[in-house]
Amino acid sequence: MGIDFLLLIKILVLPVILGLFAIFVGLLYKGIDRKIAAHMQARIGPPIRQPFRDVRKLLIKENIIPENAIEWVFNLAPVVAVVAGISILLYVPIGTPELTVLSGYGDLILIIYLLMIPALALVIGGMASGSPYATVGAQREMVMMMSYEFPLAVAIVAVAWKLGSFSLPVISSQPVWGFVEPNLHPLGFVGFCLLVLTLLVITPIELSKIPFDVPEAETEIGSGLLAEYSGRNLALFVLADGVKTVAIGSLVVAIFFPWGLAPLLGLSGWLARVVDILFFLLKVLIIIIISVTFVRVAAARLKIDQVAYTYFIPLTVLAFCGLALVVLDELLFMGV
């Protein structure tokens, strides 16, 4: 009975706690991102708590359903986007491999599919709104998805092939860099550097941030996919964006930078876990600042054909080069 009760808590309570935590951290990251971007543009910028205010304001505003919309699909899409983002985090080790709510042999394959769901929810919700602007945005979002999913899959499969497991806790517990020390496995080391670069470049397009925000381009198609959304539904999409930001950053950290501070500081027990979780969140923030904030401030919005070309050809080639170097290193330096 005790085991069943603990299992019930793990299945029902931990996802809720993790979801609330992810929403809080996601909005906090959005506030920090806006503050840093403003300072880089010589502006003061909004306070870090501004995303929390925006969401609160949206939640108390009227939820307007367009006359031509398919109402149940229009209302369901933002809920699906939030749930999918939180579901990804259930499989990601937060801080240490032991702090994973769910785990299994095929975690990474499931995560690749779950990453697609928030974008698909945006597409379906936008098309269900009946707006021509949203339809154009949905078409652009689908083109982007077809462009970046392939290099993303190549990068993740390369790591899983090297470590012999698709389980994220297993990958987190044995950092990939320990298998490709630069002096012993130079090709593998360079290969993994290319795969890290691939994931960092994919991060802003997964989040539809500038210069890859063509599905929502305000000046061209009036917010595109979100043109008809308001009130509670728009607030849910904002929350989904925050949660997905945490999920993407956490995935990159868990695969390539899983180290904790506690062993270095000689800590143990609950204090070690708290320190490792805080250090994990700091690494996620650094990943977001490097791959999203800096790029967003420095680059202008690309056209949809430029986005598709950039991801479908050069980035796929980059990911394949990384995979080829990792495989070649394994063949040439086997047993070293």
Side-chain angles (χ1 to χ4, degrees):
M1 286 298 290
I3 294 176
D4 292 339
F5 181 69
L6 291 176
L7 184 62
L8 196 64
I9 290 178
K10 185 173 182 179
I11 294 175
L12 298 179
V13 178
L14 286 183
V16 175
I17 295 174
L18 183 63
L20 295 174
F21 177 74
I23 288 172
F24 174 79
V25 174
L27 293 179
L28 183 65
Y29 283 171
K30 288 171 78 73
I32 296 174
D33 166 70
R34 291 168 68 176
K35 196 70 176 177
I36 293 176
H39 282 293
M40 292 176 68
Q41 295 168 337
R43 296 186 289 111
I44 296 177
I48 291 176
R49 63 180 181 277
Q50 188 61 43
F52 295 91
R53 290 177 172 175
D54 294 341
V55 170
R56 187 184 63 183
K57 185 173 66 177
L58 287 171
L59 287 174
I60 60 177
K61 291 182 73 174
E62 183 182 3
N63 194 40
I64 299 174
I65 310 296
E67 185 178 344
N68 297 324
I70 304 173
E71 185 173 345
W72 71 272
V73 178
F74 186 79
N75 288 326
L76 183 62
V79 177
V80 171
V82 175
V83 172
I86 294 173
S87 300
I88 296 170
L89 288 170
L90 297 179
Y91 293 89
V92 179
I94 307 294
T96 63
E98 295 79 23
L99 292 180
T100 310
V101 178
L102 298 175
S103 63
Y105 181 76
D107 293 350
L108 282 177
I109 296 176
L110 181 61
I111 287 174
I112 291 175
Y113 283 107
L114 287 174
L115 282 172
M116 297 171 59
I117 293 180
L120 285 175
L122 266 171
V123 169
I124 294 171
M127 298 189 81
S129 70
S131 164
Y133 294 121
T135 303
V136 174
Q139 292 170 345
R140 292 182 177 186
E141 182 71 39
M142 292 174 70
V143 170
M144 282 177 30
M145 285 176 58
M146 289 186 287
S147 304
Y148 68 74
E149 288 297 336
F150 191 42
L152 171 65
V154 171
I156 288 180
V157 167
V159 176
W161 176 82
K162 180 66 180 178
L163 299 186
S165 175
F166 279 93
S167 171
L168 207 44
V170 173
I171 292 174
S172 254
S173 62
Q174 43 183 353
V176 294
W177 306 106
F179 294 86
V180 289
E181 295 178 14
N183 54 336
L184 297 177
H185 301 273
L187 294 180
F189 181 78
V190 174
F192 276 121
C193 288
L194 295 181
L195 295 173
V196 172
L197 181 61
T198 301
L199 277 185
L200 290 179
V201 177
I202 287 173
T203 299
I205 195 172
E206 273 278 6
L207 301 172
S208 295
K209 302 298 183 187
I210 296 174
F212 310 109
D213 63 332
V214 282
E216 301 168 13
E218 295 87 355
T219 53
E220 300 170 22
I221 51 176
S223 296
L225 291 164
L226 301 175
E228 299 296 336
Y229 275 100
S230 60
R232 183 197 65 223
N233 283 337
L234 184 56
L236 287 175
F237 271 128
V238 174
L239 296 180
D241 180 61
V243 173
K244 192 175 180 182
T245 301
V246 178
I248 296 284
S250 300
L251 185 62
V252 176
V253 170
I255 293 176
F256 288 106
F257 310 104
W259 305 286
L261 271 184
L264 292 176
L265 300 176
L267 301 175
S268 61
W270 65 269
L271 183 60
R273 295 201 169 187
V274 170
V275 169
D276 279 341
I277 290 174
L278 292 176
F279 186 54
F280 180 87
L281 295 176
L282 177 63
K283 289 185 288 184
V284 173
L285 176 62
I286 293 172
I287 292 292
I288 297 302
I289 290 173
I290 293 174
S291 61
V292 176
T293 309
F294 288 173
V295 176
R296 182 163 66 86
V297 173
R301 180 181 300 135
L302 298 176
K303 297 178 181 176
I304 185 61
D305 59 326
Q306 293 172 325
V307 174
Y309 172 80
T310 300
Y311 279 85
F312 198 67
I313 298 181
L315 198 64
T316 302
V317 171
L318 183 70
F320 266 120
C321 288
L323 174 60
L325 288 174
V326 172
V327 174
L328 193 59
D329 180 86
E330 181 75 16
L331 295 176
L332 293 178
F333 301 100
M334 188 180 299
V336 177

